[in-house]
Amino acid sequence: MEISFAGKRALVTGAGKGIGRGTALALARCGAEVVAVTRTRADLDSLLLECPSIRPVCVDLGDWGATEEALREAGGNVDLLVNNAAYAMLQPFLEVTPDQFDISFNINVKAALHVSQIVARGMKARGTGGSIVNISSQASQCALRDHTVYCATKGALDMLTKVMALELGPYQIRVNSVNPTVVMTEMGRLGWSDPGKAKTMTSRIPLGRFAEVEDVVNSILFLLSDKSSMTNGVTLPVDGGFLAC
């Protein structure tokens, strides 16, 4: 199945590393004009070396005013949006601190809402529809030890996805989420390099392995494309069957 985004403009947050970077590069290869958003200048510089056609935007999405300013122009005329930026700080329930709670919800939920508002207003005004994909997690639907706040933010993001799908659908703006298991990004490989620790998770995945970045990117591309034109409000597990158990 060939997917082309020629003539489309895509915006990807958290585009400096991992899933976001893979998505930005894949969209560019499929012909899209890509706007890559991240807060780390070095990541943007290396991304541009790899794909000079990408338009970089360096901003901290946790800053509402700075985001509004940075995306005022770059966020216009966007057809495809991927809300990938996320923050994870693992704390046991009894040790959750107010600052970590606030930072997590600010990035994982509030920033996704804000960027989506900016982009969806433009989509609605143009009357051309569009597609938005929020990057959630299997942690939205399954409790994981020491993931109290992370699980809560991803559960909130899933419900935000559904409400967005409900309210934006009449404007032909589709909204879905992708919910991966552990993904073998650079961070994922570091965090799950211990075979014993990895076994505690892979033993619960029927396919017996973690996801690769490409596995998640392919699902994102499908949901962004017209191949999924009747798919709206879905939370799509990319988890090897973890949530089926």
Side-chain angles (χ1 to χ4, degrees):
M1 181 173 63
E2 186 174 337
I3 294 176
S4 172
F5 295 111
K8 301 289 187 181
R9 192 178 202 205
L11 190 151
V12 182
T13 71
K17 294 183 176 73
I19 295 169
R21 187 186 187 98
T23 301
L25 291 170
L27 283 165
R29 287 195 297 269
C30 291
E33 176 189 349
V34 178
V35 178
V37 181
T38 186
R39 66 177 183 174
T40 307
R41 174 59 65 182
D43 288 341
L44 282 177
D45 291 343
S46 67
L47 180 62
L48 289 177
L49 287 175
E50 193 169 351
C51 185
S53 67
I54 289 177
R55 178 177 177 180
V57 174
C58 190
V59 66
D60 179 0
L61 295 177
D63 185 327
W64 188 280
T67 300
E68 193 83 33
E69 182 67 26
L71 297 186
R72 182 173 297 158
E73 179 184 351
N77 299 321
V78 169
D79 305 290
L80 313 167
L81 169 62
V82 180
N83 283 309
N84 173 70
Y87 175 84
M89 173 60 72
L90 305 188
Q91 294 176 312
F93 171 73
L94 292 176
E95 297 176 19
V96 170
T97 55
D99 60 326
Q100 292 300 323
F101 183 96
D102 290 343
I103 293 170
S104 296
F105 269 89
N106 199 31
I107 298 299
N108 295 358
V109 185
K110 187 177 179 181
L113 180 147
H114 188 207
V115 175
S116 296
Q117 284 181 327
I118 294 170
V119 169
R121 284 173 183 143
M123 291 176 174
K124 177 185 174 183
R126 294 193 310 278
T128 53
S131 181
I132 298 172
V133 176
N134 295 323
I135 309 306
S136 185
S137 169
Q138 67 181 17
S140 71
Q141 301 175 45
C142 179
L144 301 174
R145 188 177 298 276
D146 298 335
H147 286 64
T148 304
V149 178
Y150 186 77
C151 286
T153 63
K154 293 305 186 178
L157 185 62
D158 279 2
M159 188 50 68
L160 177 64
T161 296
K162 292 177 183 296
V163 176
M164 288 169 61
L166 176 66
E167 296 193 10
L168 298 177
Y171 306 108
Q172 302 307 303
I173 301 169
R174 298 184 298 108
V175 187
N176 297 286
S177 76
V178 168
N179 299 55
T181 184
V182 175
V183 182
M184 290 290 94
T185 61
E186 182 179 342
M187 184 180 299
R189 292 185 192 282
L190 287 173
W192 294 88
S193 59
D194 178 76
K197 179 181 178 182
K199 185 66 175 177
T200 63
M201 182 64 74
T202 56
S203 64
R204 299 169 64 186
I205 300 173
L207 291 184
R209 64 178 179 87
F210 292 137
E212 297 295 333
V213 170
E214 185 179 10
D215 296 323
V216 184
V217 170
N218 286 339
S219 294
I220 294 169
L221 296 182
F222 170 69
L223 290 174
L224 289 175
S225 77
D226 291 339
K227 306 294 185 184
S228 62
S229 61
M230 197 57 184
T231 305
N232 189 36
V234 162
T235 54
L236 177 65
V238 184
D239 65 352
F242 177 90
L243 291 174
C245 299

